[in-house]
Amino acid sequence: MKLQYKNINSQFEKIQNLENANSASEIFNISFQLLNLAMQMINLGNILPHEMNNLNFQQQINNCHMQIQNLAMQMNIMNNINIQNNNMNKGQIMNNIYIQKEFRDCNQDQFLIHIGTKFELENNDLYNWKVIFQGPIGTPYEDGFFTLKIKFPSDFPKHGAEINFASKIYHLNVGNENTNEEEKNCGHICHPHLNEWRATGKVRDIPNYNVREAIYDIYDLLVKQNVMCPHYEEMYNLYKNNRQKFEEEVKKYVQKYATEPTTPFKKRNNLF
């Protein structure tokens, strides 16, 4: 039995590092080997628990399970998302895992679920998301369904994602193509957190800033406009001097450009 333990341990040490995985086929093979070793460890541990403790295999099993979870996540990405499997290196694998975790966390976030938010991959591309959310209750945006586009850089999370409005929206802090500004600024969101995150991958005073935090910030902008960084002076003057007229303009845009999506969409919980 001890010899069998040592043999398993030797195999585990050879394959437990992701550094050895440079292609999809290698990742699949390693994951299956790890799963098989974990099952062997557990079976032998049930037969000889004393030997298992002496050889510290419990920690090996835990490590093995962790590796399996990471590899299973990566396998899911490769099966369902359009990427170049044969050219993946360790850095690309880890980037994909980070983004996959962001996607999972966003879809499980209870606040985002309650306010009515839907996350999708565009064309099954992990690096390009579409987000649909409902406007905040009690604001002139509340009847709207707004679309955001999220684009992740190849070196995420070293640099944060770029998030823009795809829906036309009348807002102090969002670029609007009906003005004379360059088209590249259309949908651009002026927010210090988003700007800093995109440039540096982090935000001062907010540890572990992520996509969910970014969506919170954008949602808050629809609750309260940021008069410190308006995109347009004319719009700012209207907001400052004639709030009623400003909100009428907002509602015109909502009715014209932020209609309810035709695809299935779970609406917000108004009791939240």
Side-chain angles (χ1 to χ4, degrees):
M1 285 296 181
K2 285 186 178 181
L3 181 61
Q4 194 169 359
Y5 270 126
K6 291 179 180 179
N7 182 46
I8 293 173
N9 188 45
S10 175
Q11 293 180 59
F12 180 78
E13 289 178 349
K14 289 180 181 179
I15 67 174
Q16 65 176 325
N17 293 322
L18 277 172
E19 292 177 355
N20 298 322
N22 296 311
S23 68
S25 59
E26 287 183 75
I27 290 176
F28 294 147
N29 290 335
I30 289 175
S31 64
F32 290 132
Q33 290 179 60
L34 285 168
L35 181 59
N36 181 55
L37 288 179
M39 293 176 65
Q40 292 183 54
M41 290 178 191
I42 292 171
N43 290 336
L44 290 173
N46 290 334
I47 297 172
L48 292 174
H50 180 69
E51 295 293 341
M52 181 177 179
N53 290 335
N54 287 344
L55 295 171
N56 198 25
F57 263 68
Q58 187 61 52
Q59 184 61 43
Q60 292 282 44
I61 291 175
N62 292 338
N63 292 339
C64 197
H65 284 168
M66 186 177 300
Q67 290 281 16
I68 290 170
Q69 289 174 359
N70 289 338
L71 287 162
M73 185 183 298
Q74 182 59 28
M75 287 168 63
N76 182 60
I77 293 171
M78 290 182 174
N79 282 331
N80 298 295
I81 298 171
N82 185 23
I83 58 175
Q84 297 296 319
N85 292 340
N86 293 331
N87 295 324
M88 291 187 66
N89 54 37
K90 182 185 176 185
Q92 291 173 312
I93 290 172
M94 295 310 298
N95 291 346
N96 288 344
I97 289 175
Y98 281 125
I99 298 174
Q100 179 75 353
K101 181 179 184 302
E102 290 272 10
F103 190 76
R104 181 192 64 199
D105 291 346
C106 285
N107 280 290
Q108 294 177 349
D109 187 283
Q110 290 302 306
F111 175 74
L112 296 178
I113 291 172
H114 279 297
I115 65 174
T117 312
K118 182 180 182 180
F119 294 85
E120 299 176 343
L121 302 181
E122 288 208 289
N123 300 318
N124 285 334
D125 183 354
L126 182 63
Y127 285 74
N128 289 279
W129 300 7
K130 179 171 74 173
V131 182
I132 303 174
F133 70 99
Q134 290 184 262
I137 296 174
T139 74
Y141 301 98
E142 69 176 330
D143 294 328
F145 293 79
F146 300 94
T147 302
L148 300 171
K149 294 295 182 70
I150 302 180
K151 183 176 180 61
F152 290 89
S154 59
D155 60 354
F156 183 86
K158 184 178 180 180
H159 292 92
E162 181 177 349
I163 307 178
N164 294 313
F165 269 93
S167 304
K168 294 181 183 178
I169 182 172
Y170 195 81
H171 193 288
L172 283 184
N173 312 117
V174 182
N176 187 317
E177 69 177 1
N178 285 350
T179 67
N180 293 324
E181 73 165 7
E182 295 182 15
E183 186 178 351
K184 68 179 182 180
N185 287 328
C186 297
H188 174 264
I189 304 167
C190 182
H191 193 293
H193 292 167
L194 299 182
N195 296 340
E196 185 178 358
W197 184 49
R198 185 167 55 244
T200 68
K202 51 189 165 184
V203 174
R204 285 177 298 176
D205 303 324
I206 305 181
N208 303 317
Y209 193 86
N210 52 39
V211 175
R212 286 173 295 153
E213 296 284 351
I215 301 299
Y216 300 160
D217 281 337
I218 294 169
Y219 190 82
D220 286 343
L221 276 182
L222 269 61
V223 175
K224 185 178 181 180
Q225 318 247 343
N226 185 355
V227 297
M228 300 304 293
C229 60
H231 257 288
Y232 316 108
E233 184 178 356
E234 182 179 348
M235 190 182 294
Y236 169 73
N237 290 333
L238 182 61
Y239 179 83
K240 182 179 178 181
N241 299 319
N242 192 338
R243 189 69 59 84
Q244 181 178 348
K245 177 65 175 175
F246 179 90
E247 293 186 355
E248 288 174 1
E249 290 296 318
V250 168
K251 291 178 181 179
K252 287 180 184 178
Y253 270 68
V254 168
Q255 292 174 2
K256 188 173 182 179
Y257 302 115
T259 56
E260 184 172 348
T262 56
T263 55
F265 183 85
K266 186 176 180 180
K267 296 184 180 180
R268 65 177 166 233
N269 180 354
N270 290 331
L271 298 178
F272 181 68

